[in-house]
Amino acid sequence: MWYYRPANAEHRYSQMSLVSLRQLLDRDPDNAKAWRQMALRLANAGDAAMAEPALKRAFELNPHDAKIATGIGELYAAENRLSDAEQALKAAVSAQPSDPTAHRDLGLLYLRSDRPKLAIGEFNAVIGADKRADDAWYQIAVCNMALNHVPEAQNAIVLALAIAPANAAYMDMKGRTDVSSGKVEEGIDETLRAAQAAPKDVRIQADVINLLLERHRNSKDLEIAEQTIGNLEQISPDFPPIPYQRGRLEMLRNHWQDAARYLNIALRAAPQQDDVAIALSETYTKLNKTVEAGQLVAAVNHRKQLKMNADVVRAALQKGPQSADLYIQLANLEMQLGNRATALSAMQSGLKIDPQNSTLLKWQQMLNQKTE
C-alpha cells in the first residue's frame, strides 16, 4: 500500500491545514509542490479516494518527483493501466535510483506482465539497498521458478528464510523448489508445514493440494489433499480452482463420471485454462467420448498457437520500430487468449503512437465497458 512520511519540516506547506491547502490550490492550481503535499497528506490519512485526483495532478505537473511517480505507478497498476504504471515507475527509479520502493513496485509489475528476467533486476536493486529485504529474495525465487532456474530459486528462498524463518509463504516456496529439484519427500513435508503454519491462507492451501495431486506418494497423501480441499471450501467456498482440484482427485481415484462433472464446472468458470481442458479431455477419453476429447485438444492447440504468435509480435516490438499496427495485433491476440489486462496495456501503448486509431479506441471502450 502506498505510504510516505510527511514532507520535510522546512516546507511551509507541511504546516498548513488541508483546508488552507485547498484554498491555496484554488488560487494557484498549477502549484506542483502544494499538490504534492495534498496528495501525501491525504494518502497518509488513508483517504485514497480523495488522494487520487491530487496525486494525478501532482504527477502531471512534476512527473520527475520520485515519491509521486511511485504513488501514481501503484495507482495505475491497480487500475490495470500497466503501460502507464510502467512509465511512471521507470520515472521514479530514474529520479531516485536508490529508492527500494519504486524498484520493488516495478519488479512486481514486470512479474505481473510475465517478464521475470526484468523483474529480477529490480528486486536485486532492492537488495542492493537492503541485504535483509526478505521479500525481495522471495520474489527473486518466484522469478527464477517462472524461468525454470531451480537452483537459483533455491538459493534465493534459503536467504529469505534465513531472515524470516517463520514466514509460511517462504516455507511454501522452499517446498516447491525442493520438489522441482528432485527432493520430493522434503518438499512435500515443507509445504505441509507451511499449510499448518497458515491454515487460512488460500494460496498456500491451494499449493498443498496441487502438489499432493501431482506428486502424491501414497493414498494417505490423497486423503490429506481431500481434507485440505474441504478446508479450502470452508475458508473460501468460491475459490475458482476448487472444482478442478476435485476433478483431479476423482481422476486419480478412477471415478471418471464424477471427474467429468467437476471438470465441466471448472471449464465453464475458466474456459481459457489449458490444464482444465487437458484434464477433461483425458477424462472424456476414459469415458469413450472421443469427439468431445478431440475438440478440447484442438482448443488447447489453438491457444498455444495464439501464444506463439503473441511472442513473435512482442519480439518485433522489442526490436523496433514500434507501430500502432503491431500493438493492434498484440491486443487482438491477447483478447483471444482472454488476457484482458494485457490487451488493454497493448491498446494504451498503441494509442500513444496513434491517439486517434479507431480500432484501438473501439476495443479499449469495449473492454472498459466489460470491466465496469
Side-chain angles (χ1 to χ4, degrees), residues 60-128:
E60 180 183 319
L61 292 167
N62 185 8
H64 301 296
D65 183 304
K67 289 184 178 179
I68 292 299
T70 300
I72 201 74
E74 292 179 358
L75 176 64
Y76 285 153
E79 294 175 347
N80 284 326
R81 295 172 57 181
L82 304 187
S83 179
D84 290 333
E86 182 176 339
Q87 182 179 355
L89 291 169
K90 283 181 175 178
V93 167
S94 177
Q96 192 170 343
S98 62
D99 180 13
T101 303
H103 282 293
R104 181 182 184 277
D105 287 343
L106 187 55
L108 291 173
L109 185 70
Y110 285 145
L111 255 183
R112 183 174 170 183
S113 55
D114 197 25
R115 290 178 284 175
K117 286 184 180 179
L118 291 176
I120 288 174
E122 299 305 320
F123 295 127
N124 275 325
V126 175
I127 292 165

Side-chain angles (χ1 to χ4, degrees), residues 304-321:
K304 286 181 180 177
Q305 186 61 55
L306 290 175
K307 291 174 184 176
M308 290 173 60
N309 293 344
D311 288 340
V312 170
V313 176
R314 286 195 187 90
L317 285 167
Q318 289 177 354
K319 290 180 181 178

Side-chain angles (χ1 to χ4, degrees), residues 7 61 72 87 92 99 114 135 144 148 153 174 176 198 205 214 219-220 234 243 259 289 311 314 323 337 340-341:
L61 292 167
I72 201 74
Q87 182 179 355
D99 180 13
D114 197 25
D135 179 67
N144 277 304
N148 201 29
K174 177 64 164 56
R176 285 191 280 154
Q205 298 299 311
E214 289 294 329
S219 60
K220 178 63 175 176
Q234 291 296 314
K289 295 184 176 182
D311 288 340
R314 286 195 187 90
S323 71
L337 287 165
R340 183 172 298 176

Side-chain angles (χ1 to χ4, degrees), residues 127-142:
I127 292 165
D130 179 9
K131 289 288 191 294
R132 293 188 62 78
D134 53 289
D135 179 67
W137 287 117
Y138 168 72
Q139 297 297 347
I140 288 173
V142 172

Side-chain angles (χ1 to χ4, degrees), residues 237-252:
D238 297 325
F239 187 57
I242 289 175
Y244 172 63
Q245 292 167 335
R246 285 281 185 195
R248 289 282 292 123
L249 181 63
E250 296 304 332
M251 288 177 70
L252 292 170

Side-chain angles (χ1 to χ4, degrees), residues 36-255:
R36 179 186 193 276
Q37 181 62 210
M38 174 71 81
L40 298 179
R41 295 267 290 278
L42 289 169
N44 286 349
D47 194 342
M50 293 296 291
E52 179 178 333
L55 186 63
K56 288 181 176 178
R57 182 59 177 155
F59 181 70
E60 180 183 319
L61 292 167
N62 185 8
H64 301 296
D65 183 304
K67 289 184 178 179
I68 292 299
T70 300
I72 201 74
E74 292 179 358
L75 176 64
Y76 285 153
E79 294 175 347
N80 284 326
R81 295 172 57 181
L82 304 187
S83 179
D84 290 333
E86 182 176 339
Q87 182 179 355
L89 291 169
K90 283 181 175 178
V93 167
S94 177
Q96 192 170 343
S98 62
D99 180 13
T101 303
H103 282 293
R104 181 182 184 277
D105 287 343
L106 187 55
L108 291 173
L109 185 70
Y110 285 145
L111 255 183
R112 183 174 170 183
S113 55
D114 197 25
R115 290 178 284 175
K117 286 184 180 179
L118 291 176
I120 288 174
E122 299 305 320
F123 295 127
N124 275 325
V126 175
I127 292 165
D130 179 9
K131 289 288 191 294
R132 293 188 62 78
D134 53 289
D135 179 67
W137 287 117
Y138 168 72
Q139 297 297 347
I140 288 173
V142 172
C143 294
N144 277 304
M145 285 296 283
L147 294 166
N148 201 29
H149 297 167
V150 177
E152 292 86 346
Q154 284 182 303
N155 292 338
I157 201 60
V158 166
L159 289 167
L161 279 167
I163 300 166
N167 188 300
Y170 302 173
M171 295 161 61
D172 178 46
M173 174 58 74
K174 177 64 164 56
R176 285 191 280 154
T177 61
D178 282 346
V179 170
S180 296
S181 67
K183 301 176 182 177
V184 177
E185 293 279 345
E186 293 177 28
I188 290 177
D189 290 341
E190 184 76 6
T191 307
L192 288 172
R193 283 193 289 272
Q196 292 168 358
K200 294 188 177 181
D201 188 301
V202 171
R203 186 186 60 78
I204 292 176
Q205 298 299 311
D207 278 351
V208 168
I209 296 164
N210 294 334
L211 179 58
L212 291 175
L213 292 175
E214 289 294 329
R215 306 300 292 266
H216 56 281
R217 298 161 294 186
N218 47 46
S219 60
K220 178 63 175 176
D221 280 349
L222 292 182
E223 290 174 10
I224 295 172
E226 185 171 26
Q227 293 167 5
T228 310
I229 292 173
N231 179 47
L232 192 53
E233 287 172 331
Q234 291 296 314
I235 60 178
S236 184
D238 297 325
F239 187 57
I242 289 175
Y244 172 63
Q245 292 167 335
R246 285 281 185 195
R248 289 282 292 123
L249 181 63
E250 296 304 332
M251 288 177 70
L252 292 170
R253 290 172 169 169
N254 295 322
H255 299 165

Side-chain angles (χ1 to χ4, degrees), residues 342-358:
T342 311
L344 271 172
S345 180
M347 292 173 201
Q348 291 158 7
S349 297
L351 286 169
K352 288 178 182 177
I353 298 170
D354 182 3
Q356 302 304 317
N357 189 286
S358 59

